[in-house]
Amino acid sequence: MAAYPGMSMGEAHRRITEYLNRFSDAVSNQDAASLRFLLSLSSNSPFLLSLADALNTFQDSGRLIKHSDHYSQFSDILFNLFRSLQTYRLGNLFDSYQAFEKSANAFIQEFRNWESAWALEALYALAYEIRVLAERADRELASNGKSPEKLKAAGSFLMKVFGVLAGKGPKRVGALYVTCQLFKVYFKLGTVHLCRSVIRSIETARIFDFEEFPKRDKVTYMYYTGRLEVFNENFPAADNKLSYALTHCNPRREANIRMILKYLIPVKLSIGILPKDWLLEKYNLVEYRDVVQALRRGDLRLLRHALQEHEDRFLRSGVFLVLEKLELQVYQRLVKKIYIIQKQKDPTKAHQVKLEVIVKALKWLEMDMDVDEVECIMSILIYKNLVKGYFAHKSKVVVLSKQDPFPKLNGKPVNS
Amino acid sequence: MEKDAKVAAEDPKVDLFEDDDEFEEFEINEEWEDKEEGKDTTQQWEDDWDDDDVNDDFSLHLKKELESNTEKS
């Protein structure tokens, strides 16, 4: 790609020097916001793009960097940052990442020496950029038939940054942001087990007080750790974390709220709580509508249909098994309805439910089961305390407890 | 995770390097008012839905089914 016939050498020289001055001024003024802007390659700001053009025109920025003491002290940061920008502009993402990582490493060395936490905002930009550049580098590698490896490298770098922030000083409030970037890396790579060590640091290290972290990082953190709890089927913990994220998320960020709900809804269903329909409607989570309806009604056919219809979606998000397990609760509701219907007809006999009657109901719901299979299911329901009662085995009847035969979950998941 | 295995069996590389639900970045200085805890929750969730009402269509249908004596094939 031929560069920039439009830019003269003089103009290029001017732009590069301007950047260098801005950089050194930002550091000497401890102006994190300006510094952040200067590091944000992926923002595609006109300023940085034309700087990239200038670099590709001038070609010898190394000389300019050494020109003045103000910025020659940052030569490793700047030289590699310039390389990164140049290659970024030329669409060479692999090289851009490599150079950026070098620059970022040099930046961390400087950052360590700055005593106060003034530069945290700039560090956040660095952490974000390295992840985003790594993703793009990996896409480029993959499209060239090579093995993607840069996002993993970015993960290692971020762990290093975490280590720098994990101390007693004021910089420690930045650790949660970096943690969240790590989560995004690990989730994308599918290596979520690697989240464990950084979670352990955040939650058990004495230097960290969770309440001190910025709200936005706490919300993001609770979202990801909440998702991990869903994967591990720890529903009370998942409920706590995802509900925290939901309550504290910026209400205007509807995409984020939708994501939280996408995982929170199956959790709530597992503890016997239903989302109101307006919630599903507003955040476009209508894939859950039939599941909710199935629970409400005791409609096993509808549940199965809903799981089938949205199987791919539920599998991708990893909630399929959670939803499938709702089947027991749907059985409970169905049997309860049978009981109530019987009670309407003959209150004295209602607490005795013939297995055959359940077979009949199931058949109507297109589930072909014989009496033995139904007995098996009923015994599971009893075992898990969804039904209180016992079998009068010979007569193939379930005798329900006169008191509270269908105990509510009361916010607790079904006994495993 | 069995579900991952199921997906991976069909498409080994594609799904392992994606996360459909990556949380959007908040702006560095993004501010917002905290909702009062509990205010919205009662309006979003129902925990008293498991009632004894059997007057809905499904239940009426069920009732009819249970009362019918004919064997359906």
Side-chain angles (χ1 to χ4, degrees):
Chain A
M1 195 197 288
Y4 337 109
M7 198 182 295
S8 69
M9 285 299 252
E11 176 66 12
H13 184 293
R14 189 192 69 74
R15 284 182 192 269
I16 297 168
T17 311
E18 182 187 349
Y19 181 96
L20 291 171
N21 283 322
R22 282 217 215 178
F23 190 97
S24 68
D25 286 347
V27 175
S28 44
N29 296 333
Q30 299 195 341
D31 179 0
S34 298
L35 191 54
R36 183 176 103 226
F37 175 75
L38 296 172
L39 298 170
S40 299
L41 251 72
S42 71
S43 67
N44 293 327
S45 69
F47 174 74
L48 288 178
L49 288 178
S50 55
L51 173 68
D53 291 345
L55 290 166
N56 281 320
T57 303
F58 194 83
Q59 291 290 338
D60 192 11
S61 58
R63 182 163 60 83
L64 286 183
I65 293 170
K66 299 215 169 31
H67 221 232
S68 158
D69 283 338
H70 285 303
Y71 29 84
S72 62
Q73 53 176 310
F74 306 122
S75 63
D76 279 343
I77 299 174
L78 292 164
F79 182 74
N80 287 299
L81 195 58
F82 282 173
R83 285 268 326 272
S84 183
L85 246 177
Q86 280 179 263
T87 47
Y88 179 84
R89 184 64 164 137
L90 296 172
N92 209 323
L93 278 316
F94 179 83
D95 289 346
S96 182
Y97 173 85
Q98 303 266 73
F100 193 88
E101 200 193 82
K102 289 200 178 109
S103 177
N105 270 306
F107 184 93
I108 296 299
Q109 298 315 314
E110 279 302 315
F111 179 85
R112 275 192 149 116
N113 297 330
W114 297 330
E115 263 186 44
S116 80
W118 73 265
L120 269 182
E121 245 185 59
L123 187 70
Y124 295 155
L126 205 77
Y128 173 81
E129 291 294 324
I130 204 163
R131 175 174 66 86
V132 166
L133 279 175
E135 286 172 12
R136 295 185 59 172
D138 275 358
R139 279 206 285 275
E140 186 180 273
L141 284 167
S143 70
N144 292 334
K146 304 210 190 107
S147 196
E149 42 160 55
K150 290 309 173 190
L151 191 55
K152 194 167 170 209
S156 299
F157 175 80
L158 288 169
M159 278 306 285
K160 207 193 307 187
V161 177
F162 184 90
V164 168
L165 297 174
K168 282 185 243 174
K171 294 174 190 169
R172 69 185 188 277
V173 301
L176 203 63
Y177 181 84
V178 175
T179 300
C180 293
Q181 293 302 314
L182 274 164
F183 285 163
K184 292 184 179 185
V185 169
Y186 294 146
F187 270 71
K188 191 141 195 160
L189 290 174
T191 56
V192 295
H193 60 284
L194 293 176
C195 297
R196 205 178 309 146
S197 77
V198 74
I199 290 172
R200 204 173 332 129
S201 291
I202 293 288
E203 295 188 1
T204 64
R206 294 223 308 238
I207 45 169
F208 293 131
D209 175 2
F210 193 74
E211 290 317 306
E212 282 181 339
F213 291 121
K215 180 162 62 174
R216 53 152 213 276
D217 297 334
K218 290 194 280 196
V219 170
T220 307
Y221 179 84
M222 288 298 204
Y223 167 73
Y224 280 104
T225 53
R227 277 179 69 182
L228 289 173
E229 298 287 11
V230 178
F231 288 166
N232 295 325
E233 298 195 345
N234 294 330
F235 297 132
D239 186 23
N240 276 337
K241 294 180 186 190
L242 293 171
S243 294
Y244 179 101
L246 185 65
T247 306
H248 294 100
C249 185
N250 185 348
R252 280 204 284 265
R253 296 302 212 107
E254 296 201 348
N256 280 351
I257 294 189
R258 178 178 190 278
M259 283 186 245
I260 297 167
L261 285 170
K262 187 170 164 183
Y263 292 94
L264 183 55
I265 287 168
V267 171
K268 288 287 195 190
L269 296 177
S270 300
I271 61 177
I273 296 173
L274 303 187
K276 296 220 170 134
D277 200 56
W278 71 261
L279 201 64
L280 300 181
E281 184 84 48
K282 177 171 180 180
Y283 295 103
N284 190 24
L285 289 164
V286 292
E287 63 262 33
Y288 291 123
R289 200 178 252 150
D290 282 349
V291 177
V292 173
Q293 182 75 295
L295 266 169
R296 222 189 263 279
R297 285 182 188 168
D299 189 344
L300 287 155
R301 177 178 47 192
L302 185 60
L303 180 69
R304 292 193 169 192
H305 163 81
L307 289 176
Q308 247 173 18
E309 188 179 341
H310 302 291
E311 187 180 51
D312 288 342
R313 212 196 294 225
F314 293 149
L315 282 171
R316 272 189 84 89
S317 61
V319 299
F320 185 87
L321 289 180
V322 178
L323 296 170
E324 202 179 47
K325 287 188 182 156
L326 296 173
E327 198 176 58
L328 283 181
Q329 287 156 250
V330 180
Y331 269 110
Q332 183 202 45
R333 185 85 173 128
L334 180 68
V335 176
K336 180 173 178 174
K337 286 212 166 163
I338 294 173
Y339 164 73
I340 295 168
I341 288 168
Q342 282 187 186
K343 206 155 102 168
Q344 278 179 344
K345 270 185 85 182
D346 184 357
T348 57
K349 292 248 181 65
H351 64 287
Q352 292 176 19
V353 180
K354 292 195 184 141
L355 294 181
E356 251 173 38
V357 172
I358 302 176
V359 169
K360 199 170 185 185
L362 291 175
K363 204 164 193 162
W364 170 58
L365 292 172
E366 292 167 23
M367 288 171 62
D368 250 314
M369 289 199 194
D370 61 33
V371 165
D372 291 332
E373 287 169 300
V374 170
E375 183 175 337
C376 188
I377 293 187
M378 288 308 298
S379 51
I380 294 174
L381 291 178
I382 292 170
Y383 176 70
K384 290 190 183 272
N385 205 37
L386 285 168
V387 168
K388 285 231 268 272
Y390 63 90
F391 284 112
H393 183 82
K394 278 222 184 91
S395 46
K396 299 285 185 188
V397 168
V398 175
V399 182
L400 297 170
S401 163
K402 295 257 173 82
Q403 259 195 353
D404 195 25
F406 303 99
K408 296 215 169 133
L409 291 180
N410 275 331
K412 293 212 191 77
V414 174
N415 294 338
S416 44
Chain B
M1 292 189 281
E2 308 95 317
K3 37 204 179 288
D4 272 352
K6 185 169 177 174
V7 173
E10 283 144 29
D11 222 335
K13 285 269 178 11
V14 173
D15 293 313
L16 292 177
F17 292 86
E18 290 303 321
D19 177 20
D20 291 342
D21 299 315
E22 187 173 288
F23 217 55
E24 287 181 357
E25 294 274 327
F26 291 114
E27 301 298 312
I28 292 291
N29 291 315
E30 193 166 328
E31 290 287 332
W32 61 89
E33 285 296 309
D34 241 358
K35 296 200 282 278
E36 295 148 40
E37 291 254 12
K39 179 175 171 224
D40 261 348
T41 40
T42 45
Q43 295 166 342
Q44 293 168 333
W45 311 101
E46 278 182 78
D47 61 357
D48 56 356
W49 53 275
D50 189 5
D51 54 26
D52 290 355
D53 179 13
V54 289
N55 292 317
D56 56 294
D57 282 346
F58 179 83
S59 306
L60 294 173
H61 236 119
L62 174 63
K63 185 167 171 193
K64 209 157 70 174
E65 237 357 87
L66 297 178
E67 283 170 355
S68 79
N69 285 318
T70 53
E71 273 297 313
K72 296 219 173 96
S73 55

